[in-house]
Amino acid sequence: MKWISLWMVISSIALGWTHVGNNIRGWKQAPVTFYLNPANCPISESELNEIVDAAILAWNGVTDSRLVVERARSSVSVSEFLAGNTTQLPIILCDTDFATQVGASGVHVIPAATFKTATDDKGNLIYSGILLNSASGAGANIAYLSKGQVELTLAHEMGHALGLGHSSQSEALMYYSLGSKQQALLTEDDLDGIVHIYPRNELGGGVMGCSAVKFPRNGEGPATHWPMLLLGLLFILGAMGWGRRASRFPF
Amino acid sequence: MFIICFELRAAGDSYKKGIHIDLGGYQTHLKQRFEAPSGFENQVSSFSGYARIRATLLLGKKLGWEPSVGTLIPWKSGKDGNVRKFTSHLDLTFTYPFANWLRFRLGPGVQWLLSIADGGPVELNNGTSTSTFYTPGYASHSFTLTAQSGLSFLLDSKVSLNLEIYGSGLLNRLRRNFDIAATLGWRL
């Protein structure tokens, strides 16, 4: 009975992640820099910076992914972003006219959303931005959320801007609802989804978590193959050692 | 205790070359599991079965070399089977005897994550209605170097108990990760 129970626990592990588009390949540039314009935000710039950095921290801790995320300051406006007139992407902006984007009812339940996500013909993300609900009198204005909830919301929207869609797993960061979650915590489902878009290849460089971020699919960045050579050398030395031993002491 | 030690000592003398089948359990993301808030432990870290084929080769009087290939079972999949994830290990582990019945294990390896999806749209809740998301129609491969360390208890001339820890991303505090495995091995 115990074995059956154990097998049921193991077999119940299911994946629920999706992507925002068909055959998304992620951003080509590395690191991925989120440009933040704190203008019109209902919270202070320093607090917003802390929140963005905490959200970034969650996405930078994925062992099996090459993804590296950073923050930079921007002065691009919401209208410029919505008109498609910026190269500072992905971008995070505070939108005082959020109801125009999500509707009169949505402005009271949606604290942030990701807009204008676009890809090139190879599936690489080329345009995306996060608008934070800063509408006056809106029920879901980020000023009414706790710092942890804004952090969680922003980390979720960053997931969209990086290429992830919603997950069917209710505990996942990419589930549509915050639920009882209190911090930006990536579950294994979130990890699996982001690793699919930004897989790591340490056989081609960037050993043991070091920074070398490469996009071999697009032929960018110099590839260093010494980790593979080292493993190969160990294999050959082991085989030679065993061969010598076997020839002297045949089993 | 004396009897057990005696048995182990006698069994250890029989460490020699061979092919082993190891079966056991594998727990991922130990660090995240300890740091996760209550109720989320099983969402950030999961338990799987682990199956491995391992060769034992003697490099000298004491030093052993054990290249192995293993995979986590069952392979993880989505609820409707349109997404599948395969996790495999290639390890080149060296072993050294602490005692006749106890061998220390240390060596490098590679973890290979293969993620396959069938592609196609998925309708999911977005809070106010539903939105169309997608599973990708391409396979993704991730290769991560690992350092493996552990102990092998030689229980019998053919049976061993192996306890191992796999470290990856060791040079980066944020990405550092540890998995553990416990297997029972049979020499064929």
Side-chain angles (χ1 to χ4, degrees):
Chain A
M1 194 61 194
K2 281 181 182 173
W3 284 106
I4 293 171
S5 303
L6 178 62
W7 189 252
M8 284 173 69
V9 168
I10 292 172
S11 303
S12 68
I13 300 165
L15 303 170
W17 57 267
T18 61
H19 291 171
V20 284
N22 206 8
N23 292 331
I24 289 282
R25 299 279 184 174
W27 293 89
K28 283 171 76 175
Q29 69 264 33
V32 178
T33 302
F34 277 88
Y35 290 88
L36 171 66
N37 182 357
N40 301 318
C41 281
I43 52 181
S44 70
E45 181 175 353
S46 61
E47 193 174 12
L48 190 60
N49 285 342
E50 281 178 27
I51 289 168
V52 172
D53 288 346
I56 283 174
L57 207 61
W59 291 110
N60 275 341
V62 185
T63 310
D64 301 309
S65 170
R66 68 172 186 255
L67 179 66
V68 176
V69 183
E70 290 180 351
R71 170 175 61 85
R73 204 176 192 287
S74 171
S75 57
V76 172
S77 68
V78 173
S79 57
E80 283 174 313
F81 162 68
L82 291 174
N85 294 332
T86 180
T87 55
Q88 296 187 341
L89 299 161
I91 195 164
I92 302 169
L93 301 164
C94 290
D95 188 6
T96 53
D97 193 23
F98 198 64
T100 304
Q101 327 307 336
V102 298
S105 58
V107 76
H108 296 295
V109 292
I110 302 172
T114 304
F115 293 94
K116 305 281 288 181
T117 299
T119 62
D120 63 14
D121 56 354
K122 291 177 181 170
N124 294 121
L125 287 161
I126 53 171
Y127 209 92
S128 189
I130 298 166
L131 298 184
L132 302 174
N133 186 343
S134 306
S136 177
N141 185 311
I142 57 168
Y144 302 139
L145 303 181
S146 69
K147 192 176 175 184
Q149 285 173 319
V150 180
E151 179 188 316
L152 190 58
T153 302
L154 197 54
H156 175 99
E157 295 306 326
M158 279 181 178
H160 286 319
L162 292 168
L164 284 179
H166 279 167
S167 170
S168 56
Q169 301 275 311
S170 60
E171 297 85 0
L173 176 68
M174 295 313 296
Y175 190 62
Y176 79 93
S177 168
L178 298 183
S180 61
K181 294 187 277 280
Q182 294 295 324
Q183 65 183 89
L185 181 73
L186 300 191
T187 65
E188 281 205 336
D189 191 65
D190 301 309
L191 301 184
D192 291 338
I194 204 71
V195 168
H196 193 102
I197 304 176
Y198 303 91
R200 191 173 192 83
N201 182 8
E202 286 192 325
L203 297 181
V207 181
M208 291 288 177
C210 268
S211 59
V213 179
K214 300 189 189 318
F215 295 83
R217 191 168 41 240
N218 300 318
E220 293 180 2
T224 54
H225 296 288
W226 69 265
M228 190 59 190
L229 290 173
L230 186 65
L231 276 175
L233 190 63
L234 274 170
F235 186 87
I236 291 166
L237 285 174
M240 284 173 62
W242 173 70
R244 285 184 60 190
R245 164 87 180 162
S247 63
R248 279 186 288 136
F249 304 104
F251 296 104
Chain B
M1 180 60 80
F2 173 77
I3 294 170
I4 293 170
C5 291
F6 178 79
E7 286 296 318
L8 288 171
R9 187 181 295 270
D13 294 336
S14 60
Y15 182 83
K16 54 188 173 185
K17 75 163 189 175
I19 301 294
H20 298 247
I21 298 291
D22 297 335
L23 295 173
Y26 191 104
Q27 184 79 45
T28 67
H29 300 108
L30 271 195
K31 181 169 154 254
Q32 289 85 340
R33 186 176 186 87
F34 287 120
E35 292 173 354
S38 178
F40 279 82
E41 294 89 345
N42 291 327
Q43 302 306 320
V44 298
S45 166
S46 60
F47 180 78
S48 303
Y50 188 45
R52 178 172 66 179
I53 184 161
R54 171 172 55 100
T56 53
L57 308 165
L58 289 171
L59 297 182
K61 284 182 179 175
K62 292 186 172 181
L63 191 64
W65 184 52
E66 300 190 355
S68 66
V69 179
T71 185
L72 270 61
I73 48 172
W75 299 312
K76 284 172 74 175
S77 66
K79 284 173 182 168
D80 52 3
N82 60 352
V83 179
R84 297 172 299 284
K85 178 189 169 190
F86 307 85
T87 305
S88 305
H89 280 273
L90 166 67
D91 297 317
L92 302 175
T93 309
F94 293 88
T95 69
Y96 190 84
F98 281 162
N100 282 341
W101 50 274
L102 179 64
R103 294 186 78 88
F104 174 66
R105 310 167 59 81
L106 181 68
V110 178
Q111 179 184 258
W112 172 35
L113 295 184
L114 168 59
S115 180
I116 300 173
D118 296 337
V122 182
E123 286 291 323
L124 288 171
N125 199 328
N126 66 8
T128 52
S129 60
T130 60
S131 293
T132 304
F133 297 100
Y134 298 86
T135 56
Y138 64 93
S140 173
H141 305 267
S142 172
F143 296 97
T144 311
L145 290 180
T146 61
Q148 179 207 9
S149 182
L151 295 169
S152 282
F153 299 89
L154 308 179
L155 305 177
D156 183 89
S157 61
K158 289 200 165 192
V159 182
S160 61
L161 171 66
N162 308 295
L163 306 175
E164 289 142 279
I165 184 162
Y166 290 88
S168 51
L170 294 176
L171 302 181
N172 185 317
R173 184 181 58 83
L174 270 180
R175 294 178 187 271
R176 198 170 297 149
N177 178 55
F178 296 99
D179 300 344
I180 51 169
T183 57
L184 207 54
W186 288 269
R187 187 158 64 86
L188 299 178

